[in-house]
Amino acid sequence: DAKTTQPTSMDCAEGRAANLPCNHSTISGNEYVYWYRQIHSQGPQYIIHGLKNNETNEMASLIITEDRKSSTLILPHATLRDTAVYYCIVRVAPGTQGGSEKLVFGKGTKLTVNP
Amino acid sequence: DTAVSQTPKYLVTQMGNDKSIKCEQNLGHDTMYWYKQDSKKFLKIMFSYNNKELIINETVPNRFSPKSPDKAHLNLHINSLELGDSAVYFCASSLRLAGSYNEQFFGPGTRLTVL
């Protein structure tokens, strides 16, 4: 079972920031937060991940609260091509003690970017 | 330069038939996966192989038999196909290094329809 809770759907205007929340109140100290997205009919695509510090890459920013019980994925300037289902996943990094290669996908958030 | 490729993209077959789906990755990864996405868009892992060794088997019926001839290939053979096997099957690959990103790269999917 997925250990995360996300809103079912969200809308965002093109060019504006999209802020996608995720609750993971039972996260363990060694579990990372990963974000993937699935654009219609395509395979899921990795976006970003983090442990406790905020992270940024060319696609998005990840803000993790100090207690690590929730996080927010930020797409700074959403485009129509960002319309997709966004999945928030927690897991212990593979290759470490107790790590898991398994990604457990929940239902995700369907983000619709409107023109 | 397809990173993870699957063949075929579409597969339509009759109940009771045996079929195979092939997956290849050219990323030099050592771990490969099969996921199933059902009609409700729920994405769930089926198998994972690391260096040709099975490391995850998520209580999938034994009609499903993955085979990894080498690190770059993971094929999925399905015997006695049933209506409930209709789904989109995604192959993925990743590294398995402690402390590393280990993000999974997904293929484009194979849409299997059992009539």
Side-chain angles (χ1 to χ4, degrees):
Chain A
D1 289 341
K3 296 176 64 175
T4 61
T5 306
Q6 299 177 252
T8 303
S9 63
M10 292 184 66
D11 284 89
C12 177
E14 188 178 18
R16 304 297 293 268
N19 297 294
L20 292 94
C22 179
N23 287 322
H24 30 79
S25 58
T26 61
I27 192 170
S28 303
N30 60 350
E31 285 184 312
Y32 285 71
V33 180
Y34 290 79
W35 282 84
Y36 282 75
R37 73 179 181 183
Q38 187 174 23
I39 296 170
H40 179 63
S41 297
Q42 297 181 21
Q45 175 190 24
Y46 166 83
I47 301 173
I48 199 167
H49 79 286
L51 184 62
K52 47 186 162 183
N53 297 323
N54 297 338
E55 301 288 344
T56 296
N57 63 20
E58 65 278 4
M59 289 183 69
S61 295
L62 174 60
I63 309 297
I64 302 174
T65 58
E66 195 168 337
D67 63 7
R68 303 210 322 123
K69 292 186 177 182
S70 65
S71 60
T72 301
L73 178 75
I74 301 172
L75 308 178
H77 305 287
T79 71
L80 299 179
R81 286 177 292 184
D82 291 322
T83 293
V85 178
Y86 287 77
Y87 297 98
C88 171
I89 299 166
V90 297
R91 67 164 174 167
V92 179
T96 59
Q97 188 174 6
S100 173
E101 287 74 15
K102 186 166 64 172
L103 291 176
V104 180
F105 288 85
K107 296 182 179 179
T109 297
K110 171 84 168 100
L111 174 69
T112 302
V113 181
N114 300 305
Chain B
D1 288 1
T2 306
V4 182
S5 59
Q6 297 179 225
T7 53
K9 187 169 176 62
Y10 299 96
L11 184 53
V12 181
T13 188
Q14 300 286 332
M15 258 194 331
N17 284 349
D18 303 338
K19 290 293 178 185
S20 292
I21 307 172
K22 295 186 176 181
C23 178
E24 177 180 3
Q25 54 93 4
N26 62 7
L27 298 166
H29 290 163
D30 52 5
T31 307
M32 296 184 71
Y33 313 79
W34 278 109
Y35 286 83
K36 177 182 179 181
Q37 188 165 42
D38 59 25
S39 56
K40 295 182 180 178
K41 303 297 185 183
F42 196 53
L43 191 61
K44 189 172 181 181
I45 192 167
M46 300 173 67
F47 300 103
S48 176
Y49 271 73
N50 178 255
N51 284 321
K52 303 193 296 175
E53 178 186 349
L54 180 67
I55 54 173
I56 295 176
N57 183 341
E58 288 289 301
T59 60
V60 176
N62 57 16
R63 297 182 297 103
F64 291 78
S65 52
K67 290 209 169 37
S68 182
D70 55 57
K71 278 196 331 181
H73 297 84
L74 180 62
N75 304 322
L76 184 65
H77 188 75
I78 314 171
N79 290 326
S80 303
L81 278 155
E82 301 178 355
L83 293 176
D85 298 332
S86 295
V88 181
Y89 292 84
F90 289 100
C91 177
S93 73
S94 74
L95 291 170
R96 192 183 185 220
L97 298 174
S100 181
Y101 276 56
N102 296 298
E103 68 259 36
Q104 294 183 16
F105 291 79
F106 284 78
T110 295
R111 181 174 294 276
L112 171 64
T113 303
V114 182
L115 303 176

Short mmCIF file of all heavy atoms in Angstrom, two decimals, chain A residues 64-108:
data_model
loop_
_atom_site.label_atom_id
_atom_site.label_comp_id
_atom_site.label_asym_id
_atom_site.label_seq_id
_atom_site.Cartn_x
_atom_site.Cartn_y
_atom_site.Cartn_z
N ILE A 64 10.44 19.92 1.51
CA ILE A 64 10.06 18.94 2.53
C ILE A 64 9.98 19.66 3.86
O ILE A 64 10.90 20.39 4.25
CB ILE A 64 11.10 17.80 2.60
CG1 ILE A 64 11.23 17.13 1.23
CG2 ILE A 64 10.70 16.77 3.66
CD1 ILE A 64 12.33 16.08 1.15
N THR A 65 8.87 19.49 4.58
CA THR A 65 8.71 20.16 5.88
C THR A 65 9.74 19.64 6.87
O THR A 65 10.30 18.54 6.71
CB THR A 65 7.30 19.93 6.43
OG1 THR A 65 7.06 18.52 6.56
CG2 THR A 65 6.25 20.55 5.53
N GLU A 66 9.97 20.44 7.91
CA GLU A 66 11.02 20.09 8.87
C GLU A 66 10.74 18.75 9.56
O GLU A 66 11.66 17.98 9.84
CB GLU A 66 11.13 21.20 9.92
CG GLU A 66 12.42 21.12 10.72
CD GLU A 66 12.66 22.37 11.53
OE1 GLU A 66 12.12 23.43 11.17
OE2 GLU A 66 13.38 22.27 12.53
N ASP A 67 9.46 18.48 9.83
CA ASP A 67 9.13 17.20 10.46
C ASP A 67 9.03 16.05 9.45
O ASP A 67 8.80 14.91 9.83
CB ASP A 67 7.83 17.30 11.27
CG ASP A 67 6.61 17.62 10.40
OD1 ASP A 67 6.74 17.63 9.15
OD2 ASP A 67 5.54 17.87 10.94
N ARG A 68 9.21 16.38 8.18
CA ARG A 68 9.21 15.41 7.05
C ARG A 68 7.88 14.71 6.86
O ARG A 68 7.81 13.73 6.14
CB ARG A 68 10.32 14.37 7.23
CG ARG A 68 11.70 14.96 7.35
CD ARG A 68 12.82 14.10 6.82
NE ARG A 68 12.66 12.68 7.07
CZ ARG A 68 12.65 11.76 6.12
NH1 ARG A 68 12.79 12.09 4.85
NH2 ARG A 68 12.50 10.50 6.43
N LYS A 69 6.83 15.21 7.44
CA LYS A 69 5.54 14.54 7.30
C LYS A 69 4.79 14.97 6.05
O LYS A 69 3.74 14.40 5.73
CB LYS A 69 4.69 14.79 8.55
CG LYS A 69 5.27 14.09 9.79
CD LYS A 69 4.37 14.22 10.97
CE LYS A 69 4.94 13.45 12.16
NZ LYS A 69 4.07 13.50 13.35
N SER A 70 5.29 15.96 5.37
CA SER A 70 4.66 16.35 4.11
C SER A 70 5.69 17.03 3.22
O SER A 70 6.78 17.42 3.68
CB SER A 70 3.48 17.30 4.35
OG SER A 70 3.93 18.51 4.91
N SER A 71 5.34 17.12 1.96
CA SER A 71 6.23 17.77 1.01
C SER A 71 5.40 18.40 -0.10
O SER A 71 4.20 18.10 -0.24
CB SER A 71 7.23 16.76 0.41
OG SER A 71 6.57 15.70 -0.26
N THR A 72 6.04 19.28 -0.87
CA THR A 72 5.37 19.94 -1.98
C THR A 72 6.30 19.93 -3.19
O THR A 72 7.48 20.29 -3.08
CB THR A 72 5.03 21.41 -1.64
OG1 THR A 72 4.17 21.42 -0.50
CG2 THR A 72 4.33 22.07 -2.82
N LEU A 73 5.78 19.48 -4.29
CA LEU A 73 6.49 19.55 -5.55
C LEU A 73 6.08 20.83 -6.24
O LEU A 73 4.89 21.12 -6.36
CB LEU A 73 6.15 18.35 -6.44
CG LEU A 73 6.82 18.35 -7.81
CD1 LEU A 73 8.29 17.97 -7.67
CD2 LEU A 73 6.12 17.39 -8.77
N ILE A 74 7.06 21.60 -6.68
CA ILE A 74 6.77 22.87 -7.33
C ILE A 74 7.28 22.85 -8.76
O ILE A 74 8.48 22.62 -9.00
CB ILE A 74 7.41 24.06 -6.57
CG1 ILE A 74 6.89 24.10 -5.13
CG2 ILE A 74 7.11 25.37 -7.28
CD1 ILE A 74 7.60 25.11 -4.26
N LEU A 75 6.36 23.06 -9.70
CA LEU A 75 6.74 23.30 -11.09
C LEU A 75 6.67 24.80 -11.28
O LEU A 75 5.57 25.37 -11.29
CB LEU A 75 5.78 22.58 -12.04
CG LEU A 75 5.54 21.09 -11.80
CD1 LEU A 75 4.53 20.55 -12.80
CD2 LEU A 75 6.84 20.31 -11.88
N PRO A 76 7.79 25.49 -11.40
CA PRO A 76 7.78 26.95 -11.30
C PRO A 76 6.99 27.67 -12.39
O PRO A 76 6.38 28.70 -12.12
CB PRO A 76 9.26 27.32 -11.34
CG PRO A 76 9.96 26.14 -11.90
CD PRO A 76 9.14 24.95 -11.57
N HIS A 77 7.02 27.18 -13.59
CA HIS A 77 6.30 27.81 -14.70
C HIS A 77 5.63 26.71 -15.51
O HIS A 77 6.19 26.20 -16.48
CB HIS A 77 7.25 28.62 -15.58
CG HIS A 77 8.06 29.64 -14.83
ND1 HIS A 77 7.51 30.81 -14.34
CD2 HIS A 77 9.36 29.65 -14.46
CE1 HIS A 77 8.45 31.50 -13.71
NE2 HIS A 77 9.57 30.83 -13.77
N ALA A 78 4.46 26.32 -15.08
CA ALA A 78 3.80 25.16 -15.70
C ALA A 78 3.46 25.43 -17.17
O ALA A 78 3.05 26.54 -17.55
CB ALA A 78 2.54 24.82 -14.93
N THR A 79 3.66 24.43 -17.98
CA THR A 79 3.28 24.48 -19.39
C THR A 79 2.22 23.41 -19.67
O THR A 79 2.00 22.52 -18.84
CB THR A 79 4.48 24.25 -20.31
OG1 THR A 79 4.87 22.87 -20.22
CG2 THR A 79 5.65 25.13 -19.92
N LEU A 80 1.62 23.49 -20.83
CA LEU A 80 0.59 22.51 -21.18
C LEU A 80 1.15 21.09 -21.15
O LEU A 80 0.45 20.12 -20.85
CB LEU A 80 0.00 22.83 -22.56
CG LEU A 80 -0.69 24.19 -22.69
CD1 LEU A 80 -1.19 24.38 -24.12
CD2 LEU A 80 -1.82 24.34 -21.70
N ARG A 81 2.44 20.96 -21.46
CA ARG A 81 3.06 19.64 -21.49
C ARG A 81 3.28 19.05 -20.10
O ARG A 81 3.68 17.90 -19.97
CB ARG A 81 4.39 19.69 -22.24
CG ARG A 81 4.23 19.82 -23.74
CD ARG A 81 5.56 19.94 -24.44
NE ARG A 81 6.21 21.21 -24.13
CZ ARG A 81 7.36 21.60 -24.67
NH1 ARG A 81 8.01 20.82 -25.50
NH2 ARG A 81 7.87 22.76 -24.35
N ASP A 82 3.06 19.87 -19.08
CA ASP A 82 3.16 19.36 -17.70
C ASP A 82 1.87 18.69 -17.24
O ASP A 82 1.82 18.17 -16.12
CB ASP A 82 3.53 20.50 -16.74
CG ASP A 82 4.95 21.01 -16.96
OD1 ASP A 82 5.83 20.18 -17.24
OD2 ASP A 82 5.15 22.23 -16.86
N THR A 83 0.84 18.71 -18.06
CA THR A 83 -0.39 18.00 -17.71
C THR A 83 -0.09 16.51 -17.62
O THR A 83 0.39 15.90 -18.58
CB THR A 83 -1.48 18.26 -18.78
OG1 THR A 83 -1.87 19.63 -18.72
CG2 THR A 83 -2.69 17.37 -18.55
N ALA A 84 -0.33 15.95 -16.43
CA ALA A 84 0.06 14.56 -16.18
C ALA A 84 -0.46 14.14 -14.81
O ALA A 84 -1.01 14.96 -14.06
CB ALA A 84 1.59 14.43 -16.19
N VAL A 85 -0.29 12.87 -14.50
CA VAL A 85 -0.54 12.38 -13.13
C VAL A 85 0.80 12.38 -12.40
O VAL A 85 1.78 11.84 -12.91
CB VAL A 85 -1.15 10.97 -13.15
CG1 VAL A 85 -1.35 10.48 -11.71
CG2 VAL A 85 -2.48 10.97 -13.89
N TYR A 86 0.81 13.01 -11.24
CA TYR A 86 2.04 13.14 -10.45
C TYR A 86 1.96 12.23 -9.23
O TYR A 86 1.00 12.28 -8.47
CB TYR A 86 2.23 14.60 -10.03
CG TYR A 86 2.65 15.47 -11.18
CD1 TYR A 86 1.72 15.89 -12.13
CD2 TYR A 86 3.99 15.84 -11.35
CE1 TYR A 86 2.11 16.66 -13.21
CE2 TYR A 86 4.38 16.63 -12.43
CZ TYR A 86 3.43 17.02 -13.36
OH TYR A 86 3.82 17.79 -14.44
N TYR A 87 2.99 11.42 -9.07
CA TYR A 87 3.02 10.45 -7.99
C TYR A 87 4.10 10.81 -6.96
O TYR A 87 5.25 11.05 -7.33
CB TYR A 87 3.33 9.05 -8.52
CG TYR A 87 2.32 8.48 -9.48
CD1 TYR A 87 2.52 8.55 -10.86
CD2 TYR A 87 1.17 7.85 -9.01
CE1 TYR A 87 1.60 8.02 -11.74
CE2 TYR A 87 0.24 7.31 -9.89
CZ TYR A 87 0.47 7.41 -11.26
OH TYR A 87 -0.45 6.87 -12.12
N CYS A 88 3.70 10.80 -5.71
CA CYS A 88 4.63 11.00 -4.60
C CYS A 88 4.85 9.63 -3.95
O CYS A 88 3.88 8.94 -3.63
CB CYS A 88 3.99 11.98 -3.62
SG CYS A 88 4.83 12.17 -2.04
N ILE A 89 6.09 9.23 -3.79
CA ILE A 89 6.42 7.89 -3.31
C ILE A 89 7.48 8.00 -2.22
O ILE A 89 8.42 8.78 -2.36
CB ILE A 89 6.96 7.02 -4.47
CG1 ILE A 89 5.91 6.88 -5.57
CG2 ILE A 89 7.40 5.65 -3.97
CD1 ILE A 89 6.46 6.35 -6.89
N VAL A 90 7.34 7.23 -1.15
CA VAL A 90 8.39 7.18 -0.14
C VAL A 90 8.98 5.79 -0.11
O VAL A 90 8.29 4.79 -0.23
CB VAL A 90 7.88 7.58 1.26
CG1 VAL A 90 7.40 9.01 1.27
CG2 VAL A 90 6.80 6.65 1.75
N ARG A 91 10.31 5.71 0.02
CA ARG A 91 10.95 4.42 0.14
C ARG A 91 12.38 4.60 0.64
O ARG A 91 12.97 5.66 0.50
CB ARG A 91 10.99 3.67 -1.20
CG ARG A 91 11.86 4.33 -2.25
CD ARG A 91 12.18 3.38 -3.38
NE ARG A 91 12.89 4.05 -4.45
CZ ARG A 91 13.51 3.45 -5.44
NH1 ARG A 91 13.49 2.12 -5.52
NH2 ARG A 91 14.14 4.11 -6.37
N VAL A 92 12.91 3.55 1.19
CA VAL A 92 14.32 3.53 1.59
C VAL A 92 15.13 3.34 0.31
O VAL A 92 14.78 2.51 -0.53
CB VAL A 92 14.60 2.38 2.58
CG1 VAL A 92 16.07 2.36 2.96
CG2 VAL A 92 13.73 2.54 3.82
N ALA A 93 16.17 4.12 0.14
CA ALA A 93 16.96 4.06 -1.09
C ALA A 93 17.49 2.65 -1.33
O ALA A 93 18.01 2.01 -0.41
CB ALA A 93 18.13 5.05 -1.01
N PRO A 94 17.37 2.16 -2.55
CA PRO A 94 17.90 0.84 -2.89
C PRO A 94 19.41 0.80 -2.67
O PRO A 94 20.09 1.80 -2.77
CB PRO A 94 17.58 0.70 -4.38
CG PRO A 94 16.56 1.72 -4.68
CD PRO A 94 16.75 2.83 -3.69
N GLY A 95 19.90 -0.37 -2.37
CA GLY A 95 21.33 -0.53 -2.18
C GLY A 95 21.80 -0.19 -0.79
O GLY A 95 22.96 -0.40 -0.45
N THR A 96 20.91 0.35 0.02
CA THR A 96 21.23 0.62 1.42
C THR A 96 20.52 -0.41 2.29
O THR A 96 19.61 -1.10 1.84
CB THR A 96 20.79 2.02 1.86
OG1 THR A 96 19.38 2.15 1.65
CG2 THR A 96 21.51 3.09 1.04
N GLN A 97 20.92 -0.50 3.55
CA GLN A 97 20.30 -1.50 4.42
C GLN A 97 18.81 -1.24 4.53
O GLN A 97 18.39 -0.13 4.84
CB GLN A 97 20.94 -1.45 5.80
CG GLN A 97 20.47 -2.58 6.71
CD GLN A 97 21.21 -2.60 8.02
OE1 GLN A 97 21.99 -1.71 8.29
NE2 GLN A 97 20.95 -3.63 8.82
N GLY A 98 18.04 -2.26 4.26
CA GLY A 98 16.59 -2.11 4.31
C GLY A 98 16.03 -1.44 3.08
O GLY A 98 14.84 -1.15 3.00
N GLY A 99 16.88 -1.16 2.12
CA GLY A 99 16.44 -0.48 0.92
C GLY A 99 15.56 -1.34 0.04
O GLY A 99 15.57 -2.56 0.13
N SER A 100 14.80 -0.69 -0.78
CA SER A 100 13.87 -1.41 -1.64
C SER A 100 13.94 -0.86 -3.05
O SER A 100 13.92 0.35 -3.26
CB SER A 100 12.44 -1.29 -1.11
OG SER A 100 11.53 -1.84 -2.04
N GLU A 101 14.02 -1.79 -4.00
CA GLU A 101 13.95 -1.38 -5.41
C GLU A 101 12.52 -1.05 -5.81
O GLU A 101 12.30 -0.45 -6.84
CB GLU A 101 14.47 -2.51 -6.32
CG GLU A 101 15.96 -2.73 -6.30
CD GLU A 101 16.46 -3.39 -5.03
OE1 GLU A 101 15.63 -3.94 -4.28
OE2 GLU A 101 17.68 -3.36 -4.80
N LYS A 102 11.58 -1.44 -4.98
CA LYS A 102 10.18 -1.36 -5.36
C LYS A 102 9.64 0.06 -5.24
O LYS A 102 9.79 0.71 -4.22
CB LYS A 102 9.38 -2.30 -4.45
CG LYS A 102 7.94 -2.44 -4.81
CD LYS A 102 7.33 -3.65 -4.09
CE LYS A 102 7.31 -3.51 -2.59
NZ LYS A 102 6.55 -4.60 -1.96
N LEU A 103 9.02 0.54 -6.29
CA LEU A 103 8.26 1.79 -6.25
C LEU A 103 6.80 1.42 -6.03
O LEU A 103 6.23 0.67 -6.81
CB LEU A 103 8.40 2.58 -7.54
CG LEU A 103 9.76 3.21 -7.85
CD1 LEU A 103 9.73 3.86 -9.23
CD2 LEU A 103 10.14 4.23 -6.78
N VAL A 104 6.20 1.92 -4.95
CA VAL A 104 4.79 1.68 -4.68
C VAL A 104 4.02 2.93 -5.08
O VAL A 104 4.10 3.96 -4.41
CB VAL A 104 4.56 1.34 -3.20
CG1 VAL A 104 3.07 1.10 -2.95
CG2 VAL A 104 5.37 0.11 -2.80
N PHE A 105 3.29 2.83 -6.17
CA PHE A 105 2.54 3.97 -6.69
C PHE A 105 1.16 4.02 -6.05
O PHE A 105 0.46 3.02 -5.98
CB PHE A 105 2.37 3.84 -8.21
CG PHE A 105 3.62 4.07 -8.99
CD1 PHE A 105 4.52 3.04 -9.21
CD2 PHE A 105 3.90 5.32 -9.53
CE1 PHE A 105 5.68 3.24 -9.94
CE2 PHE A 105 5.06 5.53 -10.27
CZ PHE A 105 5.95 4.49 -10.47
N GLY A 106 0.78 5.23 -5.61
CA GLY A 106 -0.60 5.45 -5.17
C GLY A 106 -1.42 5.90 -6.37
O GLY A 106 -1.09 5.59 -7.51
N LYS A 107 -2.47 6.64 -6.08
CA LYS A 107 -3.34 7.11 -7.17
C LYS A 107 -2.83 8.41 -7.78
O LYS A 107 -3.24 8.77 -8.88
CB LYS A 107 -4.76 7.28 -6.66
CG LYS A 107 -5.39 5.96 -6.22
CD LYS A 107 -6.81 6.13 -5.77
CE LYS A 107 -7.40 4.79 -5.36
NZ LYS A 107 -8.78 4.90 -4.87
N GLY A 108 -1.96 9.12 -7.09
CA GLY A 108 -1.39 10.33 -7.65
C GLY A 108 -2.35 11.48 -7.75
O GLY A 108 -3.53 11.38 -7.40
#
